[in-house]
Amino acid sequence: MQSIFARNGLETPEPMKAQVKGSIPPWLQGTLLRNGPGLFSLGDSKYNHWFDGMSLLHSFTFSQGQVTYRSKFLKSETYKRNIKANRIVVSEFGTMIYPDPCKNIFSRAFTHLSNIIPDFTDNNLINIVRYGQDYYASSEVNYMNQIDPGTLDTIGRINYRNHIALNLATAHPHYDKEGNTYNMGTSIVGMGRPSYVIFKVPAGALDNEKPALSKVQQVCAIPFRSTLFPSYYHSFGMTDNYVVFVEQPFKLDIVKLATAYFRGINWGSCLKFDKDDVTLFHVVDKNTGKASSTRFHGDPIVVFHHINAYEAEGHVVLDLIAYRDSNLYEMFYLRNMRQESEALVESNKNSSPPVCQRFVLPLHVSKDAAGGSQLVTLTDTTARAVKQEDGSVYCRPETLFEGLELPAINYGFNGKKYRYFYGSRMEWSPHPNKIAKFDIVTREHVEWRQENCFPSEPVFVASPGAVEEDEGVILSSVISPDPNISPFMLVLDARSLEEVARASIPASVHMDLHGLFIPAPV
């Protein structure tokens, strides 16, 4: 079964019509773009980690009750170099590449020297992001590749560093109601004081001659608490007025990163979870760029995905998915993913499950409040924020749900008080085998599942004129190791999670990571 996740994917470059069973709502018009690893070996070389695979882009276009599918490999510089050499020649997260011994000594020496300061891959396999009207395949490095969302053609590479001083950036930006894009990145070396940088790309950044990113504005810079051990982060939270950054004790060892090539280790091994450190929560005013002077902290956790955040009666409510260890990355080494199901379950039984947690951060902490004071006054949560004698605030979360990852919401409620979230159920392995909907008010959940089927991250699309938060559909690409089950695009009623339709695709479709729905022009 594990082989379906680690096999090489195939391109379907021309649109292919899917066979629809059921009835796709006529109002569902647009394209779902997906991104994820799709090529894991080339010639006699193989990647070590699932997050190393070369990016394979997918599009599912909905029009007049029909679905068409296409896929193309991202034609990054990394892809082109690897294909030309017919072997993997660019290092990735879990695979460090060394010079071909057949090269002459001068060529090998140049390759070694160029790795003193690593120039990261542009294999952008994590998500699709939008800046202005430009769409990019993105990962967590300084490079992105612009794509044509209609054809999936690769337009060209862009470097964040040409526009803002960043070495790394997330692939999970936020979009406000005006269409502005907010994101975060890390400035490590050669660019002033090392810091986490929050930035904004205005919606109106339209210039046919220049990328939208050329209009980028820095909102705030947060200094590292430890210069040589910055926090790793995959996403962040945003409300109407604030950005919330979780500085977790899952850290990047800068010295180890700079010397990884010569130590014979991969970049992934430069990440370390410090179980004896604390988690910090930074609250930054989007309008002024000023960070809260209150030191919010909590127990050590590892966070990849935020669910939502909002303001309520003088508090910021932050919902995220937390782990008590960093074993998730280990699970995705291909040697682990190729295990049989029973062996995979056994090897991961002591790993932390994903837990949906709610933190509440009081925005106005009185200097007169006594040490030990409980500062959360909201009545609909058991989360706590306790003032310490040194003036800091210790935050203890409320557990909402366990065993869910890849969260999704009705994005119209992003940054606002909300009731429902969706996600992929992960009960026994890192592979999703169910889709779930959770009701925060009733604490009940419903699920969709089909035997031997593995759905991708759910995507919520609201119906036109929707009044209720859960009026719309959930979209998910589903694959199966069963040769009798074709890959299909699943359409669920977002209220009940009952199947509305499925569009079976007569082509190879690979498991992906994240994506974006682009509504058709009205």
Side-chain angles (χ1 to χ4, degrees), residues 295-365:
R295 185 177 188 266
F296 296 105
H297 59 97
D299 294 334
I301 56 174
V302 173
V303 180
F304 298 104
H305 295 115
H306 288 248
I307 303 171
N308 199 5
Y310 61 91
E311 300 157 41
E313 301 173 26
H315 306 75
V316 166
V317 179
L318 178 68
D319 294 346
L320 50 75
I321 296 175
Y323 296 81
R324 66 172 186 270
D325 59 42
S326 59
N327 291 348
L328 183 67
Y329 269 143
E330 289 296 318
M331 294 183 196
F332 281 95
Y333 275 97
L334 294 176
R335 63 177 182 272
N336 296 327
M337 296 185 72
R338 291 190 176 106
Q339 295 180 86
E340 291 302 318
S341 299
E342 294 78 10
L344 188 64
V345 174
E346 180 64 23
S347 62
N348 294 323
K349 67 180 182 181
N350 295 322
S351 296
S352 167
V355 180
C356 304
Q357 293 186 331
R358 168 164 289 183
F359 289 86
V360 178
L361 315 176
L363 289 170
H364 309 291
V365 179

Coordinates of all heavy atoms in Angstrom, one line a residue, residues 295-365:
R295 N 5.1 39.0 27.4 CA 5.8 37.7 27.0 C 4.8 36.5 27.3 O 4.6 36.1 28.4 CB 7.1 37.5 27.8 CG 7.9 36.3 27.4 CD 9.2 36.2 28.2 NE 10.1 35.2 27.7 CZ 10.1 34.0 28.1 NH1 9.3 33.6 29.1 NH2 11.0 33.1 27.7
F296 N 4.2 36.1 26.2 CA 3.3 34.9 26.3 C 4.1 33.6 26.1 O 4.9 33.6 25.1 CB 2.2 35.0 25.2 CG 1.3 36.2 25.4 CD1 1.4 37.3 24.5 CD2 0.3 36.2 26.3 CE1 0.5 38.3 24.6 CE2 -0.6 37.3 26.5 CZ -0.4 38.3 25.6
H297 N 4.0 32.7 26.9 CA 4.7 31.4 26.7 C 3.9 30.2 27.2 O 2.9 30.3 27.9 CB 6.0 31.5 27.5 CG 5.9 31.7 29.0 ND1 5.9 30.6 29.9 CD2 5.7 32.8 29.7 CE1 5.7 31.1 31.1 NE2 5.6 32.4 31.1
G298 N 4.3 29.1 26.7 CA 3.6 27.8 27.0 C 4.6 26.6 27.0 O 5.8 26.8 26.8
D299 N 4.1 25.5 27.2 CA 4.9 24.3 27.2 C 5.5 24.0 25.8 O 4.9 24.5 24.8 CB 4.0 23.1 27.7 CG 3.6 23.2 29.1 OD1 4.3 23.9 29.9 OD2 2.5 22.6 29.5
P300 N 6.5 23.2 25.7 CA 7.1 22.9 24.4 C 6.2 22.1 23.5 O 5.7 21.1 23.9 CB 8.4 22.1 24.8 CG 8.2 21.6 26.1 CD 7.3 22.6 26.8
I301 N 6.0 22.6 22.3 CA 5.2 21.9 21.3 C 5.9 22.1 19.9 O 6.7 23.0 19.8 CB 3.7 22.5 21.2 CG1 3.7 24.0 21.0 CG2 3.0 22.1 22.5 CD1 2.3 24.5 20.8
V302 N 5.4 21.3 19.0 CA 5.8 21.4 17.6 C 4.5 21.7 16.8 O 3.5 21.0 16.9 CB 6.5 20.2 17.1 CG1 6.8 20.3 15.6 CG2 7.8 19.9 17.8
V303 N 4.6 22.7 16.0 CA 3.4 23.2 15.2 C 3.8 23.3 13.7 O 4.8 23.9 13.4 CB 2.9 24.5 15.7 CG1 1.7 25.0 14.9 CG2 2.6 24.5 17.2
F304 N 3.0 22.7 12.9 CA 3.1 22.8 11.5 C 2.0 23.7 10.9 O 2.2 24.6 10.1 CB 3.2 21.5 10.8 CG 4.3 20.6 11.2 CD1 4.2 19.6 12.0 CD2 5.6 20.9 10.7 CE1 5.2 18.8 12.5 CE2 6.7 20.1 11.1 CZ 6.5 19.1 12.0
H305 N 0.8 23.4 11.3 CA -0.4 24.0 10.7 C -1.3 24.7 11.7 O -1.6 24.2 12.8 CB -1.2 23.0 9.9 CG -0.5 22.4 8.8 ND1 -0.2 21.1 8.7 CD2 0.0 23.0 7.6 CE1 0.5 20.8 7.6 NE2 0.6 22.0 6.9
H306 N -1.6 26.0 11.4 CA -2.6 26.7 12.1 C -4.0 26.5 11.5 O -4.1 26.3 10.3 CB -2.3 28.2 12.1 CG -1.1 28.6 12.9 ND1 -1.2 29.4 14.0 CD2 0.2 28.3 12.7 CE1 0.0 29.5 14.5 NE2 0.9 28.9 13.8
I307 N -5.0 26.5 12.4 CA -6.4 26.3 11.9 C -7.0 27.6 11.7 O -7.5 27.9 10.6 CB -7.2 25.5 12.9 CG1 -6.6 24.1 13.2 CG2 -8.6 25.3 12.4 CD1 -7.2 23.4 14.4
N308 N -7.0 28.5 12.7 CA -7.6 29.8 12.5 C -7.2 30.6 13.8 O -6.7 30.1 14.8 CB -9.1 29.8 12.4 CG -9.8 31.0 11.8 OD1 -9.0 31.9 11.4 ND2 -11.1 31.1 11.7
A309 N -7.5 31.9 13.7 CA -7.3 32.8 14.8 C -8.3 34.0 14.7 O -8.7 34.3 13.6 CB -5.8 33.4 14.9
Y310 N -8.7 34.5 15.9 CA -9.6 35.6 15.8 C -9.6 36.4 17.2 O -9.0 35.9 18.1 CB -11.1 35.1 15.6 CG -11.7 34.2 16.6 CD1 -12.4 34.7 17.7 CD2 -11.5 32.8 16.5 CE1 -12.9 33.8 18.6 CE2 -12.0 31.9 17.4 CZ -12.8 32.4 18.5 OH -13.3 31.6 19.4
E311 N -10.2 37.5 17.2 CA -10.2 38.4 18.4 C -11.6 38.3 19.0 O -12.6 38.2 18.3 CB -10.0 39.8 18.0 CG -8.6 40.1 17.3 CD -8.6 41.3 16.5 OE1 -9.2 42.3 16.9 OE2 -8.0 41.3 15.4
A312 N -11.6 38.2 20.4 CA -12.9 38.1 21.1 C -12.7 38.8 22.5 O -11.9 38.3 23.3 CB -13.2 36.6 21.3
E313 N -13.4 39.9 22.6 CA -13.5 40.5 24.0 C -12.2 40.8 24.6 O -11.9 40.4 25.8 CB -14.4 39.7 24.9 CG -15.8 39.5 24.4 CD -16.6 38.5 25.3 OE1 -16.3 38.4 26.5 OE2 -17.6 37.9 24.7
G314 N -11.3 41.3 23.8 CA -9.9 41.7 24.4 C -9.0 40.5 24.4 O -7.9 40.6 25.1
H315 N -9.2 39.4 23.7 CA -8.3 38.3 23.6 C -8.1 38.0 22.2 O -8.9 38.3 21.3 CB -9.0 37.1 24.3 CG -9.4 37.2 25.7 ND1 -10.6 37.9 26.0 CD2 -8.9 36.8 26.8 CE1 -10.8 37.9 27.3 NE2 -9.8 37.2 27.8
V316 N -6.9 37.3 21.9 CA -6.7 36.6 20.6 C -6.9 35.1 20.9 O -6.2 34.6 21.8 CB -5.3 36.9 20.1 CG1 -5.0 36.0 19.0 CG2 -5.3 38.4 19.6
V317 N -7.7 34.5 20.1 CA -8.0 33.1 20.2 C -7.2 32.4 19.1 O -7.4 32.8 17.9 CB -9.5 32.7 20.1 CG1 -9.7 31.2 20.2 CG2 -10.2 33.4 21.3
L318 N -6.3 31.5 19.4 CA -5.4 30.9 18.4 C -5.6 29.4 18.4 O -5.4 28.7 19.4 CB -4.0 31.2 18.8 CG -2.9 30.6 17.9 CD1 -2.9 31.3 16.5 CD2 -1.5 30.8 18.5
D319 N -6.1 28.8 17.3 CA -6.3 27.4 17.1 C -5.3 26.8 16.2 O -5.0 27.4 15.1 CB -7.7 27.1 16.6 CG -8.8 27.5 17.5 OD1 -8.5 27.8 18.7 OD2 -10.0 27.6 17.1
L320 N -4.6 25.8 16.6 CA -3.5 25.2 15.9 C -3.5 23.7 16.1 O -4.2 23.1 17.0 CB -2.2 25.9 16.2 CG -1.8 26.1 17.7 CD1 -1.3 24.8 18.3 CD2 -0.7 27.1 17.8
I321 N -2.6 23.0 15.4 CA -2.4 21.6 15.6 C -1.0 21.4 16.1 O 0.0 21.8 15.5 CB -2.6 20.8 14.2 CG1 -4.0 21.0 13.7 CG2 -2.2 19.4 14.4 CD1 -4.3 20.4 12.4
A322 N -0.9 20.7 17.3 CA 0.3 20.6 18.1 C 0.7 19.2 18.2 O -0.1 18.3 18.3 CB 0.1 21.3 19.4
Y323 N 2.0 19.0 18.3 CA 2.6 17.7 18.6 C 3.5 17.9 19.8 O 4.0 19.0 20.1 CB 3.5 17.2 17.4 CG 2.7 17.0 16.2 CD1 2.4 18.0 15.3 CD2 2.4 15.7 15.8 CE1 1.7 17.8 14.1 CE2 1.7 15.4 14.6 CZ 1.4 16.5 13.8 OH 0.7 16.2 12.6
R324 N 3.8 16.8 20.5 CA 4.7 16.9 21.7 C 6.1 16.4 21.3 O 7.0 16.4 22.2 CB 4.1 16.0 22.9 CG 4.1 14.5 22.6 CD 3.7 13.7 23.8 NE 3.9 12.3 23.6 CZ 2.9 11.5 23.1 NH1 1.7 12.0 22.9 NH2 3.1 10.2 22.9
D325 N 6.3 16.1 20.1 CA 7.6 15.7 19.6 C 7.7 16.1 18.1 O 6.8 16.6 17.5 CB 7.9 14.2 19.8 CG 7.0 13.3 19.1 OD1 6.6 13.6 18.0 OD2 6.6 12.3 19.8
S326 N 8.9 15.9 17.5 CA 9.1 16.2 16.1 C 9.2 15.0 15.2 O 9.9 15.0 14.2 CB 10.4 17.1 16.0 OG 11.5 16.4 16.5
N327 N 8.6 13.9 15.6 CA 8.8 12.6 14.9 C 8.1 12.6 13.5 O 8.3 11.7 12.7 CB 8.2 11.5 15.7 CG 9.1 11.2 16.9 OD1 10.2 11.7 17.0 ND2 8.6 10.4 17.9
L328 N 7.2 13.6 13.3 CA 6.4 13.6 12.0 C 7.3 13.6 10.8 O 7.1 12.8 9.9 CB 5.5 14.7 12.0 CG 4.6 14.8 10.7 CD1 3.5 13.7 10.7 CD2 3.8 16.1 10.6
Y329 N 8.4 14.4 10.9 CA 9.3 14.4 9.7 C 10.0 13.1 9.5 O 10.2 12.7 8.4 CB 10.4 15.5 9.9 CG 10.0 16.9 9.4 CD1 10.3 18.1 10.0 CD2 9.3 17.0 8.2 CE1 9.9 19.3 9.5 CE2 8.9 18.2 7.6 CZ 9.2 19.4 8.3 OH 8.9 20.6 7.8
E330 N 10.3 12.4 10.6 CA 11.0 11.1 10.5 C 10.1 10.1 9.8 O 10.5 9.3 9.1 CB 11.3 10.6 11.9 CG 12.5 11.3 12.6 CD 13.8 11.2 11.8 OE1 14.1 10.0 11.4 OE2 14.5 12.2 11.7
M331 N 8.8 10.2 10.1 CA 7.8 9.2 9.4 C 7.9 9.3 7.9 O 7.6 8.3 7.2 CB 6.4 9.5 9.9 CG 6.1 9.3 11.4 SD 4.4 9.6 11.7 CE 4.4 9.8 13.5
F332 N 8.2 10.5 7.4 CA 8.2 10.7 5.9 C 9.5 10.3 5.2 O 9.6 10.5 4.0 CB 7.8 12.1 5.6 CG 6.3 12.3 5.8 CD1 5.7 12.9 6.9 CD2 5.4 12.0 4.7 CE1 4.4 13.1 7.1 CE2 4.0 12.2 4.9 CZ 3.5 12.8 6.0
Y333 N 10.4 9.8 5.9 CA 11.6 9.2 5.2 C 11.0 8.0 4.4 O 10.2 7.2 4.9 CB 12.7 8.8 6.1 CG 13.6 9.9 6.5 CD1 13.5 10.7 7.6 CD2 14.6 10.3 5.6 CE1 14.3 11.7 7.9 CE2 15.5 11.3 5.8 CZ 15.3 12.1 7.0 OH 16.1 13.1 7.3
L334 N 11.5 7.8 3.2 CA 10.9 6.8 2.3 C 11.1 5.4 2.8 O 10.3 4.5 2.6 CB 11.4 7.0 0.9 CG 11.0 8.3 0.2 CD1 11.6 8.4 -1.2 CD2 9.5 8.4 0.1
R335 N 12.2 5.2 3.5 CA 12.4 3.9 4.1 C 11.3 3.5 5.1 O 10.9 2.3 5.2 CB 13.7 3.8 4.8 CG 13.9 4.7 6.0 CD 15.2 4.6 6.7 NE 15.3 5.4 7.9 CZ 15.7 6.7 7.9 NH1 16.1 7.2 6.7 NH2 15.7 7.4 9.0
N336 N 10.7 4.5 5.7 CA 9.6 4.3 6.7 C 8.3 4.2 5.9 O 7.4 3.3 6.2 CB 9.5 5.4 7.7 CG 10.7 5.5 8.5 OD1 11.4 4.5 8.9 ND2 11.1 6.7 8.9
M337 N 8.1 5.0 4.9 CA 6.8 5.0 4.2 C 6.6 3.7 3.4 O 5.5 3.4 3.0 CB 6.7 6.2 3.2 CG 6.7 7.5 4.0 SD 6.5 8.9 2.9 CE 4.8 8.7 2.4
R338 N 7.7 3.0 3.0 CA 7.6 1.8 2.2 C 7.3 0.6 3.1 O 7.2 -0.5 2.6 CB 8.9 1.6 1.4 CG 9.1 2.6 0.3 CD 10.2 2.2 -0.6 NE 10.3 3.2 -1.7 CZ 11.3 4.1 -1.8 NH1 12.2 4.2 -0.9 NH2 11.3 4.9 -2.9
Q339 N 7.2 0.8 4.4 CA 6.9 -0.3 5.3 C 5.4 -0.8 5.1 O 4.6 0.0 4.6 CB 7.0 0.1 6.8 CG 8.4 0.4 7.2 CD 8.5 0.8 8.7 OE1 8.5 -0.1 9.5 NE2 8.4 2.1 9.0
E340 N 5.2 -2.0 5.3 CA 3.8 -2.5 5.3 C 3.0 -1.8 6.4 O 3.6 -1.3 7.4 CB 3.7 -4.0 5.5 CG 4.2 -4.8 4.3 CD 3.5 -4.4 3.0 OE1 2.3 -4.3 3.1 OE2 4.2 -4.3 2.0
S341 N 1.7 -1.7 6.3 CA 0.9 -0.9 7.2 C 1.1 -1.3 8.7 O 1.2 -0.5 9.6 CB -0.6 -1.1 6.9 OG -0.9 -0.6 5.6
E342 N 1.1 -2.6 8.9 CA 1.3 -3.1 10.3 C 2.6 -2.6 10.9 O 2.7 -2.2 12.1 CB 1.2 -4.6 10.4 CG -0.2 -5.2 10.0 CD -0.5 -5.2 8.5 OE1 0.5 -4.9 7.8 OE2 -1.6 -5.4 8.1
A343 N 3.7 -2.7 10.1 CA 5.0 -2.3 10.6 C 5.1 -0.8 10.8 O 5.7 -0.3 11.7 CB 6.1 -2.8 9.6
L344 N 4.4 -0.1 9.9 CA 4.4 1.4 10.1 C 3.7 1.8 11.3 O 4.1 2.7 12.1 CB 3.7 2.0 8.8 CG 3.7 3.5 8.7 CD1 5.2 4.0 8.5 CD2 2.9 4.0 7.6
V345 N 2.5 1.2 11.6 CA 1.8 1.5 12.8 C 2.7 1.1 14.1 O 2.7 1.9 15.0 CB 0.5 0.6 12.9 CG1 -0.2 0.8 14.2 CG2 -0.5 1.1 11.8
E346 N 3.3 0.0 14.1 CA 4.1 -0.4 15.2 C 5.3 0.5 15.4 O 5.6 0.9 16.6 CB 4.6 -1.8 15.0 CG 5.5 -2.4 16.1 CD 4.8 -2.6 17.4 OE1 3.5 -2.7 17.4 OE2 5.4 -2.6 18.4
S347 N 5.9 1.0 14.4 CA 7.1 1.8 14.5 C 6.7 3.2 15.0 O 7.6 4.0 15.5 CB 7.9 1.9 13.2 OG 7.1 2.4 12.2
N348 N 5.5 3.6 14.7 CA 5.1 5.0 15.1 C 4.2 5.1 16.3 O 3.6 6.1 16.6 CB 4.3 5.6 13.9 CG 5.3 5.9 12.7 OD1 6.4 6.2 12.9 ND2 4.8 5.7 11.5
K349 N 4.0 3.9 17.0 CA 3.0 3.9 18.1 C 3.3 4.8 19.3 O 2.4 5.2 20.0 CB 2.8 2.5 18.6 CG 4.0 1.9 19.3 CD 3.7 0.4 19.7 CE 4.9 -0.2 20.5 NZ 4.6 -1.6 20.9
N350 N 4.6 5.2 19.4 CA 5.0 6.0 20.5 C 5.1 7.5 20.1 O 5.5 8.3 20.9 CB 6.3 5.5 21.2 CG 6.1 4.2 21.8 OD1 5.1 3.9 22.4 ND2 7.1 3.3 21.7
S351 N 4.9 7.8 18.8 CA 5.0 9.1 18.3 C 3.7 9.9 18.7 O 2.6 9.4 18.9 CB 5.1 9.2 16.8 OG 6.3 8.5 16.4
S352 N 3.9 11.2 18.9 CA 2.8 12.1 19.3 C 1.8 12.2 18.1 O 2.1 12.4 17.0 CB 3.3 13.5 19.6 OG 2.3 14.5 19.6
P353 N 0.5 12.1 18.5 CA -0.5 12.3 17.5 C -0.8 13.8 17.3 O -0.4 14.6 18.2 CB -1.8 11.6 18.1 CG -1.6 11.8 19.6 CD -0.1 11.7 19.8
P354 N -1.3 14.2 16.2 CA -1.7 15.6 16.0 C -2.9 16.0 16.9 O -3.9 15.2 17.0 CB -2.0 15.8 14.6 CG -2.4 14.4 14.1 CD -1.7 13.4 15.0
V355 N -2.8 17.1 17.7 CA -3.8 17.5 18.6 C -4.2 18.9 18.3 O -3.4 19.8 18.3 CB -3.4 17.4 20.1 CG1 -4.5 17.8 21.0 CG2 -2.9 16.0 20.4
C356 N -5.5 19.1 18.0 CA -6.1 20.4 17.8 C -6.2 21.2 19.1 O -7.0 20.7 19.9 CB -7.4 20.4 17.0 SG -7.3 19.4 15.5
Q357 N -5.5 22.2 19.3 CA -5.5 22.9 20.6 C -5.9 24.4 20.4 O -5.6 25.0 19.3 CB -4.1 22.9 21.2 CG -3.7 21.5 21.7 CD -2.4 21.4 22.4 OE1 -1.5 22.3 22.2 NE2 -2.3 20.5 23.3
R358 N -6.5 25.0 21.4 CA -6.9 26.4 21.4 C -6.1 27.1 22.5 O -6.2 26.7 23.7 CB -8.4 26.5 21.7 CG -8.9 27.9 22.0 CD -10.4 28.1 21.8 NE -10.7 28.0 20.4 CZ -12.0 28.2 20.0 NH1 -13.0 28.4 20.8 NH2 -12.2 28.2 18.7
F359 N -5.4 28.1 22.1 CA -4.7 29.0 23.1 C -5.4 30.3 23.1 O -6.0 30.8 22.0 CB -3.3 29.3 22.7 CG -2.3 28.1 22.8 CD1 -2.2 27.1 21.8 CD2 -1.6 27.9 24.0 CE1 -1.4 26.0 22.0 CE2 -0.8 26.8 24.2 CZ -0.7 25.9 23.2
V360 N -5.5 31.0 24.2 CA -6.2 32.3 24.4 C -5.2 33.3 25.0 O -4.6 33.0 26.1 CB -7.4 32.2 25.2 CG1 -8.1 33.6 25.3 CG2 -8.4 31.2 24.6
L361 N -4.9 34.4 24.3 CA -3.9 35.4 24.7 C -4.6 36.7 25.0 O -5.2 37.3 24.1 CB -2.9 35.6 23.5 CG -2.3 34.3 22.8 CD1 -1.4 34.8 21.7 CD2 -1.6 33.5 23.8
P362 N -4.6 37.1 26.3 CA -5.3 38.3 26.7 C -4.4 39.5 26.1 O -3.2 39.6 26.3 CB -5.3 38.3 28.2 CG -4.2 37.3 28.6 CD -4.1 36.3 27.5
L363 N -5.1 40.4 25.5 CA -4.4 41.6 24.8 C -4.0 42.7 25.8 O -3.0 43.4 25.6 CB -5.3 42.1 23.7 CG -5.4 41.3 22.5 CD1 -6.5 41.8 21.5 CD2 -4.1 41.1 21.7
H364 N -4.8 42.8 26.9 CA -4.5 43.9 27.8 C -4.2 43.3 29.2 O -5.2 43.0 30.0 CB -5.7 44.8 27.9 CG -6.1 45.3 26.5 ND1 -5.4 46.1 25.7 CD2 -7.3 45.0 25.8 CE1 -6.0 46.3 24.6 NE2 -7.1 45.6 24.6
V365 N -3.0 43.2 29.5 CA -2.6 42.6 30.8 C -2.2 43.7 31.8 O -1.2 44.5 31.6 CB -1.4 41.7 30.6 CG1 -0.9 41.1 32.0 CG2 -1.7 40.5 29.7

